Structure formats: C-alpha cells, structure tokens
Amino acid sequence: MAERAYADQALPIDCGQTISQPYVVAYMTEQLGVKPNHRVLEVGTGSGYQAAVLSRLAREVVSVERYRTLAEAARERLTRLGYDNIEVFVGDGLAGVPERAPYDRIMVTAAAELVPVTLVEELTDGGVMILPLGPHAGTQRLIKVTKSEQGLQREDLIGVRFVPLLPGQAREL
C-alpha cells in the first residue's frame, strides 16, 4: 500500500478495519480543538496514526481498541517511533477507559448509531467529543458534542463513512 500512502482516501488495515483518509483525520483533529494541557481519549486505535497526530497536540492520549492484534501492533509501532505520551488499551470502545477518565476531549473513530452515554460521562465539563453518528450501513454525519452544566450541545459537521462502533472486545484478532 506504500504507493497509496499519500492519497486522500481511506485504506484497509488488518481485522477488516480502515485508516481514515488524511482529510478526515485533519478535519476531526481541528474540530476537536485540542490544547497542550488536554487529556484525550481516542476510541478505535487502528494503526495508531490518529493517536500519533493527537499526541503532538495534547499532554496525554489514551486510546482503546477492540482488536488485540491492532492494539498490540499500534502500541509497538508508537513506542518504536518515540511516542511516549500515548497509552493503548485493548477493550470495549463504547465503555471508554473509565479508570483513566475524565478526558478533556474524546475522538471516536468508528460510527455509533447513538451518542454513547458512557463516553459522555467520561468527559470533563466543557469537554468536546467528535464522532461519526448514524446507521452502520451507509453514510453518517460527523457530530461535535460539547458537554456543559446545561447539558449537551450538538453541532452537525460533515458527511462521512466509518466502520461501525461495535460493543465489546473482539473475540479473535
């Protein structure tokens, strides 16, 4: 896939997953509004690319991946490349990583059909979550959710197409 590495398109990775096209990675990162003192949760580690980008903007990145194969490969890759402010966990992305919460920002890199309440609970007041929202079969909308004392504010951003956010940790792979 080296010849397609700089193309602005999603590419397949192991476990039937994809790495998002560079435009979407950049757009989601920009919309998240990460600051140097932020702790960020990424749901869906994949190859580790998005975590690497976030780690250059945030104090700390916690990433959770349902596929052990992807998590271990990303952890090894990120360590080898010198990314020392990223922790990769194997687990249920819909549950987040509550033992490391709260987070200032959450980026979900798989499509949810509803805003995951458990992830909202892991956000700080004033926290922001970006996620693709909509049916698993078809296109979704990228949504920006901001948490405040008054509740959740939702902003509809752009149309996207992501792999589905599924409950639980994968049994194989």
Side-chain angles (χ1 to χ4, degrees):
M1 294 267 171
E3 70 282 353
R4 294 169 55 192
Y6 292 96
D8 191 26
Q9 64 187 37
L11 295 174
I13 59 174
D14 289 339
C15 304
Q17 301 302 292
T18 59
I19 181 173
S20 297
Q21 70 185 85
Y23 170 79
V24 173
V25 170
Y27 185 79
M28 289 177 75
T29 302
E30 177 186 38
Q31 291 299 312
L32 201 57
V34 179
K35 302 218 181 310
N37 63 323
H38 283 164
R39 296 183 68 248
V40 179
L41 172 65
E42 176 196 32
V43 176
T45 310
S47 69
Y49 177 62
Q50 179 71 74
V53 170
L54 291 168
S55 78
R56 293 305 179 230
L57 302 171
R59 174 174 51 96
E60 180 183 0
V61 176
V62 174
S63 188
V64 60
E65 173 59 58
R66 74 185 310 258
Y67 293 99
R68 182 173 306 283
T69 302
L70 292 177
E72 289 174 356
R75 187 181 300 121
E76 185 279 325
R77 182 179 302 113
L78 293 164
T79 300
R80 182 172 33 84
L81 294 171
Y83 293 91
D84 59 0
N85 64 335
I86 303 172
E87 275 186 281
V88 178
F89 291 85
V90 178
D92 181 350
L94 284 166
V97 184
E99 64 271 22
R100 304 287 282 129
Y103 304 99
D104 302 293
R105 300 289 186 265
I106 297 177
M107 180 179 288
V108 182
T109 61
E113 293 183 310
L114 300 169
V115 175
V117 174
T118 52
L119 296 179
V120 170
E121 290 171 351
E122 293 179 28
L123 268 177
T124 60
D125 281 338
V128 173
M129 177 168 49
I130 299 283
L131 74 157
L133 196 63
H136 288 167
T139 58
Q140 302 96 24
R141 298 294 298 174
L142 199 59
I143 303 295
K144 180 178 185 176
V145 177
T146 305
K147 182 179 179 181
S148 71
E149 291 178 6
Q150 291 76 39
L152 298 180
Q153 176 188 349
R154 260 176 67 160
E155 183 181 346
D156 187 349
L157 301 173
I158 61 172
V160 291
R161 190 172 186 124
F162 276 77
V163 296
L165 179 62
L166 301 173
Q169 181 180 328
R171 291 195 175 156
E172 297 181 27
L173 307 174

